[in-house]
Coordinates of all heavy atoms in Angstrom, one line a residue:
C1 N 0.8 -1.2 0.0 CA 0.0 0.0 0.0 C 0.9 1.2 0.0 O 2.1 1.2 0.2 CB -1.0 0.0 1.2 SG -0.2 0.4 2.8
E2 N 0.3 2.4 -0.3 CA 1.0 3.7 -0.2 C 0.8 4.3 1.2 O -0.1 3.9 1.9 CB 0.4 4.6 -1.3 CG 0.5 4.1 -2.7 CD 2.0 4.0 -3.1 OE1 2.8 4.8 -2.7 OE2 2.3 3.0 -3.8
L3 N 1.6 5.2 1.5 CA 1.6 5.9 2.8 C 0.2 6.5 3.1 O -0.3 6.3 4.2 CB 2.6 7.1 2.8 CG 3.8 6.9 3.6 CD1 4.8 8.0 3.4 CD2 3.5 6.8 5.1
E4 N -0.4 7.1 2.1 CA -1.8 7.7 2.3 C -2.8 6.7 2.7 O -3.8 6.9 3.4 CB -2.2 8.5 1.1 CG -1.4 9.7 0.7 CD 0.0 9.3 0.1 OE1 0.1 8.2 -0.5 OE2 0.9 10.0 0.4
D5 N -2.6 5.4 2.2 CA -3.6 4.3 2.5 C -3.6 3.9 3.9 O -4.7 3.5 4.4 CB -3.3 3.1 1.6 CG -3.3 3.4 0.1 OD1 -4.1 4.3 -0.3 OD2 -2.6 2.8 -0.6
C6 N -2.5 4.0 4.6 CA -2.5 3.5 6.0 C -2.3 4.6 7.0 O -2.4 4.3 8.3 CB -1.3 2.4 6.2 SG 0.3 3.1 5.8
L7 N -2.2 5.8 6.6 CA -2.1 6.9 7.6 C -3.5 7.3 8.1 O -4.4 7.6 7.3 CB -1.5 8.1 6.9 CG -1.1 9.3 7.7 CD1 0.0 9.0 8.7 CD2 -0.6 10.5 6.9
I8 N -3.6 7.2 9.4 CA -4.9 7.6 10.0 C -4.7 9.1 10.6 O -3.9 9.3 11.5 CB -5.3 6.7 11.2 CG1 -5.5 5.3 10.7 CG2 -6.6 7.2 11.8 CD1 -5.7 4.2 11.8
K9 N -5.4 10.0 10.0 CA -5.2 11.4 10.3 C -6.1 11.9 11.4 O -7.2 11.4 11.6 CB -5.5 12.3 9.0 CG -4.5 12.0 7.9 CD -4.4 13.0 6.9 CE -3.2 12.8 6.0 NZ -3.2 13.8 4.8
E10 N -5.5 12.8 12.2 CA -6.3 13.5 13.2 C -7.0 12.6 14.2 O -8.2 12.7 14.4 CB -7.3 14.5 12.6 CG -6.6 15.7 11.9 CD -6.0 16.8 12.8 OE1 -6.7 17.2 13.8 OE2 -4.9 17.1 12.6
I11 N -6.2 11.6 14.7 CA -6.8 10.7 15.7 C -7.1 11.4 16.9 O -8.0 11.1 17.7 CB -5.8 9.5 15.9 CG1 -6.5 8.3 16.5 CG2 -4.6 9.9 16.8 CD1 -5.8 7.0 16.1
Q12 N -6.4 12.5 17.1 CA -6.8 13.6 18.0 C -6.2 14.9 17.4 O -5.4 14.8 16.5 CB -6.4 13.4 19.5 CG -4.9 13.5 19.7 CD -4.6 13.3 21.2 OE1 -4.8 12.3 21.8 NE2 -4.0 14.3 21.8
P13 N -6.6 16.1 17.8 CA -6.1 17.3 17.1 C -4.5 17.2 17.1 O -3.9 17.0 18.1 CB -6.6 18.4 18.0 CG -7.9 17.9 18.6 CD -7.7 16.4 18.8
N14 N -4.0 17.5 16.0 CA -2.5 17.5 15.7 C -1.8 16.2 15.8 O -0.6 16.1 15.7 CB -1.8 18.4 16.8 CG -2.2 19.9 16.6 OD1 -2.4 20.4 15.5 ND2 -2.3 20.6 17.7
L15 N -2.5 15.1 15.9 CA -1.9 13.8 16.0 C -2.4 12.8 15.0 O -3.6 12.5 14.9 CB -2.2 13.2 17.4 CG -1.6 11.8 17.7 CD1 -0.1 11.7 17.5 CD2 -2.0 11.3 19.1
D16 N -1.5 12.3 14.1 CA -1.8 11.3 13.1 C -1.1 10.0 13.5 O -0.2 10.0 14.4 CB -1.2 11.7 11.7 CG -1.9 12.9 11.1 OD1 -2.9 13.4 11.7 OD2 -1.4 13.4 10.1
L17 N -1.6 8.9 13.0 CA -1.1 7.5 13.4 C -0.8 6.6 12.2 O -1.6 6.6 11.3 CB -2.1 6.9 14.3 CG -1.9 5.4 14.7 CD1 -0.7 5.2 15.6 CD2 -3.1 4.8 15.3
L18 N 0.4 6.0 12.2 CA 0.6 4.8 11.3 C 0.4 3.6 12.2 O 1.2 3.3 13.1 CB 2.0 4.9 10.8 CG 2.3 5.7 9.5 CD1 3.8 5.6 9.2 CD2 1.5 5.2 8.4
P19 N -0.7 2.9 12.0 CA -1.1 1.8 12.9 C -0.3 0.5 12.6 O 0.3 0.3 11.6 CB -2.6 1.6 12.6 CG -2.7 2.0 11.1 CD -1.7 3.1 10.9
S20 N -0.5 -0.4 13.6 CA 0.2 -1.7 13.5 C -0.7 -2.8 14.0 O -1.6 -2.5 14.8 CB 1.5 -1.7 14.2 OG 2.0 -3.0 14.4
N21 N -0.5 -4.0 13.6 CA -1.1 -5.2 14.3 C -0.2 -6.4 14.2 O 0.9 -6.2 13.7 CB -2.5 -5.4 13.8 CG -2.6 -5.7 12.3 OD1 -1.6 -6.2 11.7 ND2 -3.7 -5.4 11.7
V22 N -0.7 -7.5 14.5 CA 0.1 -8.7 14.6 C 0.8 -9.1 13.2 O 1.8 -9.8 13.2 CB -0.7 -9.9 15.1 CG1 -1.7 -10.4 14.1 CG2 0.2 -11.0 15.6
N23 N 0.2 -8.6 12.1 CA 0.8 -8.9 10.8 C 2.2 -8.5 10.7 O 3.0 -9.0 10.0 CB 0.0 -8.2 9.7 CG -1.4 -8.8 9.5 OD1 -1.6 -9.9 10.0 ND2 -2.2 -8.0 8.8
L24 N 2.6 -7.4 11.5 CA 3.9 -6.9 11.4 C 5.0 -7.9 11.8 O 6.2 -7.8 11.4 CB 4.1 -5.6 12.3 CG 5.4 -4.8 12.2 CD1 5.6 -4.3 10.8 CD2 5.3 -3.6 13.1
A25 N 4.6 -8.9 12.6 CA 5.5 -9.9 13.0 C 6.1 -10.6 11.8 O 7.3 -11.1 11.8 CB 4.8 -10.9 14.0
G26 N 5.3 -10.8 10.8 CA 5.8 -11.5 9.6 C 6.8 -10.6 8.8 O 7.5 -11.2 7.9
A27 N 6.9 -9.4 9.1 CA 7.8 -8.5 8.3 C 9.2 -8.8 8.5 O 10.1 -8.6 7.6 CB 7.5 -7.0 8.6
E28 N 9.5 -9.3 9.7 CA 10.9 -9.7 10.0 C 11.5 -10.6 8.9 O 12.6 -10.4 8.4 CB 11.0 -10.5 11.3 CG 10.9 -9.6 12.5 CD 12.1 -8.9 12.9 OE1 13.2 -9.4 12.6 OE2 12.1 -7.8 13.6
I29 N 10.8 -11.6 8.5 CA 11.2 -12.6 7.5 C 11.3 -11.9 6.1 O 12.2 -12.1 5.4 CB 10.3 -13.8 7.5 CG1 10.5 -14.5 8.9 CG2 10.7 -14.8 6.4 CD1 9.4 -15.5 9.2
E30 N 10.2 -11.2 5.8 CA 10.2 -10.6 4.5 C 11.2 -9.5 4.3 O 11.8 -9.3 3.2 CB 8.8 -10.0 4.3 CG 7.7 -11.1 4.3 CD 6.4 -10.6 3.8 OE1 6.3 -10.0 2.8 OE2 5.4 -10.9 4.6
L31 N 11.6 -8.8 5.4 CA 12.6 -7.8 5.3 C 14.0 -8.4 4.9 O 14.8 -7.8 4.2 CB 12.7 -7.0 6.6 CG 11.7 -5.9 6.9 CD1 11.8 -5.5 8.3 CD2 11.9 -4.7 5.9
L32 N 14.2 -9.6 5.4 CA 15.5 -10.3 5.2 C 15.8 -10.3 3.7 O 17.0 -10.3 3.3 CB 15.5 -11.6 5.8 CG 15.6 -11.7 7.3 CD1 15.4 -13.1 7.8 CD2 16.9 -11.1 7.9
E33 N 14.8 -10.5 2.8 CA 15.0 -10.7 1.4 C 15.1 -9.3 0.6 O 15.3 -9.3 -0.6 CB 13.9 -11.5 0.8 CG 13.8 -12.9 1.5 CD 12.6 -13.7 1.1 OE1 11.8 -13.2 0.3 OE2 12.5 -14.8 1.5
M34 N 14.9 -8.2 1.3 CA 14.8 -6.9 0.6 C 16.2 -6.3 0.6 O 17.0 -6.4 1.5 CB 13.8 -6.0 1.3 CG 12.4 -6.4 1.3 SD 11.4 -5.2 2.1 CE 9.8 -6.0 2.2
E35 N 16.4 -5.5 -0.5 CA 17.5 -4.6 -0.5 C 17.3 -3.5 0.5 O 16.2 -3.1 0.7 CB 17.6 -4.0 -1.9 CG 18.2 -4.9 -3.0 CD 18.4 -4.3 -4.3 OE1 19.0 -3.1 -4.3 OE2 18.0 -4.8 -5.3
N36 N 18.4 -3.0 1.0 CA 18.3 -1.9 2.0 C 17.3 -2.3 3.1 O 16.5 -1.5 3.6 CB 17.8 -0.6 1.3 CG 17.8 0.6 2.2 OD1 18.6 0.7 3.2 ND2 16.9 1.6 2.0
K37 N 17.4 -3.5 3.6 CA 16.4 -4.0 4.6 C 16.4 -3.2 5.9 O 15.4 -3.2 6.6 CB 16.6 -5.5 4.8 CG 18.0 -5.9 5.4 CD 18.0 -7.4 5.6 CE 19.4 -7.8 6.1 NZ 20.4 -7.8 5.0
E38 N 17.5 -2.6 6.2 CA 17.5 -1.8 7.5 C 16.9 -0.4 7.3 O 16.7 0.3 8.3 CB 18.9 -1.7 8.0 CG 19.6 -3.0 8.4 CD 20.4 -3.5 7.2 OE1 20.3 -2.9 6.1 OE2 21.2 -4.5 7.4
G39 N 16.7 0.0 6.0 CA 16.4 1.4 5.7 C 15.0 1.6 5.1 O 14.7 2.7 4.7
I40 N 14.2 0.6 5.2 CA 12.8 0.7 4.5 C 12.0 1.7 5.2 O 11.3 2.5 4.6 CB 12.1 -0.7 4.6 CG1 12.9 -1.8 3.9 CG2 10.7 -0.6 4.0 CD1 12.9 -1.7 2.4
L41 N 11.9 1.7 6.6 CA 11.1 2.7 7.3 C 11.6 4.1 7.0 O 10.8 5.0 6.8 CB 11.1 2.3 8.8 CG 10.1 3.2 9.6 CD1 8.7 3.1 9.2 CD2 10.3 3.0 11.1
R42 N 12.9 4.3 7.0 CA 13.4 5.6 6.8 C 13.0 6.1 5.4 O 12.7 7.3 5.3 CB 15.0 5.6 6.9 CG 15.6 6.9 6.6 CD 17.0 7.1 7.0 NE 17.9 6.1 6.3 CZ 19.2 6.0 6.6 NH1 19.7 6.7 7.6 NH2 19.9 5.1 6.0
Y43 N 13.0 5.2 4.4 CA 12.6 5.6 3.1 C 11.2 6.2 3.1 O 11.0 7.3 2.4 CB 12.7 4.4 2.2 CG 12.0 4.6 0.8 CD1 12.7 5.2 -0.2 CD2 10.8 4.0 0.6 CE1 12.1 5.4 -1.4 CE2 10.1 4.2 -0.7 CZ 10.8 4.9 -1.7 OH 10.2 5.1 -2.9
Y44 N 10.3 5.6 3.8 CA 8.9 6.1 3.8 C 8.8 7.4 4.7 O 8.1 8.3 4.3 CB 8.0 5.0 4.3 CG 7.7 4.0 3.2 CD1 8.2 2.7 3.3 CD2 7.0 4.3 2.0 CE1 8.0 1.8 2.3 CE2 6.8 3.4 1.0 CZ 7.3 2.1 1.2 OH 7.1 1.2 0.2

């Protein structure tokens, strides 16, 4: 997905959220196969 798809805006005034759930646990394995695996979050 794109950033705009997962960004929850104004969860309270001045505060936005990038949410998470248990699916993120699987990212550990998928990140291993990516280029620049340590810098994916920084990229976004």
Side-chain angles (χ1 to χ4, degrees):
C1 76
E2 299 298 321
L3 251 172
E4 295 70 33
D5 300 329
C6 60
L7 188 64
I8 302 175
K9 294 196 169 175
E10 293 285 312
I11 202 150
Q12 70 178 61
N14 294 324
L15 179 59
D16 296 351
L17 171 69
L18 275 178
S20 169
N21 59 28
V22 72
N23 291 344
L24 187 59
E28 283 280 336
I29 296 160
E30 297 188 52
L31 280 169
L32 289 172
E33 298 170 0
M34 295 183 187
E35 282 183 48
N36 186 29
K37 59 181 178 285
E38 300 93 351
I40 301 285
L41 183 62
R42 176 165 64 185
Y43 169 76
Y44 286 109

